[in-house]
Amino acid sequence: MGLRHAKADAGGTVLESIGRTLATATNGIRALADHLSSDKTFADALVNAVELMGDGDGRVVVSGVGKSGHIGRKIAATLASTGTSAYFVHPTEASHGDLGMITAQDALVLLSWSGETAELANMLTYAKRFKVPIISISSNRESTLARNSEVALVLPKVPEACPHGLAPTTSAMLQLAIGDALAIALLERRGFSAEDFKTFHPGGKLGAQLRLVHELAHGAGQLPLLPVGRPMSEAVIEMSAKGFGVVGIVDESGKLIGVITDGDLRRHMAGDLLAQPVEDIMSHKPRVVSRDVLASAAMEFMEEHKITVLFLVGDAGAPVGILHIHDLLRAGVA
């Protein structure tokens, strides 16, 4: 067999393996969704878990070992970033002093697929002694962990993607899915807004996308504006002076009623263009946004309508700022 054929056969085997794993993962999520709709006990437990975490005076403390520990760290991070005070404690470290970080006002979220993880024993004992409520995520209703929990989230037993059924794959994904579901339910229950989200994500691209357009826009002194009735000669001067490739036309009350762009100039190019009134050339019903729109939404709006400049308007429709797509790109929104 030639090298090319050997690589082709190997590639086919790899892709078949990946396809089986993705199919197993898809079936696992489908089984979890079916479990939610068919098992009232599970559905009620999820509601109780959200209420327990959302109504408590303390924090949510997440713990687990191995892959469950890695998933637990992600769940704690997602909870914290969406407005629920949460952190992860490793059960081994807990047994060596970190139990003191957990108070009776907190809620414990303990992850163990089998529900019999030995390293969680000291946390269970501590929680019972100091009446710290436990929310468990496991797959065994009769396990030690589930039986000692105030709220037991018992996930459906699903095949692992690992052909030996040993490496936690699908099971870890289900734990993560439930953690995300709880975090989002808490977010919506609390009315956590995009502005709140920005508080916890001030840096990077996400922070840029969560900025409001008025934070990036050019203010009143830089607005290219003319009142209705002025000749196009003044519009060309204003457009060139401000450098945005556009001029806004306002009525007697100061409301923006139209815009003239470079494209409008080209489309109306004629001998008497500069003498014509701006209202005869302007595009009516200009596309505008509120000053409190998210930068990411403004970028999407500009891409959808294939425009590069947006006027920001106030409640009365008067222009209060102007935003160029380059302002969004410089801020890292794209």
Side-chain angles (χ1 to χ4, degrees), residues 78-249:
T78 300
L79 287 167
S81 71
T82 53
T84 299
S85 182
Y87 63 97
F88 179 85
V89 173
H90 195 282
T92 301
E93 298 298 331
S95 298
H96 292 273
D98 283 359
L99 283 172
M101 301 168 66
I102 305 170
T103 72
Q105 287 72 46
D106 297 333
L108 269 174
V109 176
L110 302 182
L111 288 80
S112 168
W113 189 250
S114 68
E116 300 293 346
T117 302
E119 290 88 344
L120 294 176
N122 287 338
M123 298 191 81
L124 283 174
T125 301
Y126 180 88
K128 289 300 179 184
R129 178 182 176 186
F130 292 100
K131 296 181 172 54
V132 182
I134 296 172
I135 299 167
S136 63
I137 303 177
S138 73
S139 66
N140 186 356
R141 192 178 302 279
E142 300 305 318
S143 65
T144 301
L145 179 58
R147 287 187 287 104
N148 285 279
S149 303
E150 276 66 32
V151 179
L153 302 177
V154 182
L155 307 183
K157 293 182 178 180
V158 294
E160 301 286 9
C162 169
H164 309 298
L166 299 175
T169 47
T170 317
S171 58
M173 183 185 65
L174 263 58
Q175 289 177 321
L176 180 59
I178 282 298
D180 285 344
L182 293 172
I184 298 305
L186 284 163
L187 176 153
E188 294 178 347
R189 183 177 188 263
R190 187 179 292 107
F192 194 78
S193 67
E195 186 65 21
D196 296 322
F197 203 79
K198 176 187 172 184
T199 302
F200 296 101
H201 301 78
K205 182 176 179 179
L206 183 56
Q209 290 177 330
L210 291 170
R211 295 180 70 179
L212 302 179
V213 288
H214 74 80
E215 300 176 59
L216 303 174
H218 304 268
Q222 297 173 277
L223 295 182
L225 297 174
L226 275 181
V228 67
R230 306 308 300 170
M232 279 298 299
S233 58
E234 295 184 16
V236 172
I237 293 172
E238 180 73 0
M239 187 184 299
S240 301
K242 297 298 171 61
F244 289 101
V246 65
V247 60
I249 308 303

Side-chain angles (χ1 to χ4, degrees), residues 10 28 35 49 54 58 86 117 136-137 171 202 252-253 261 265 268 272 281 323:
H35 189 50
T117 302
S136 63
I137 303 177
S171 58
E252 293 80 0
S253 67
T261 67
L265 293 181
H268 293 86
D272 63 343
I281 305 300
L323 183 74

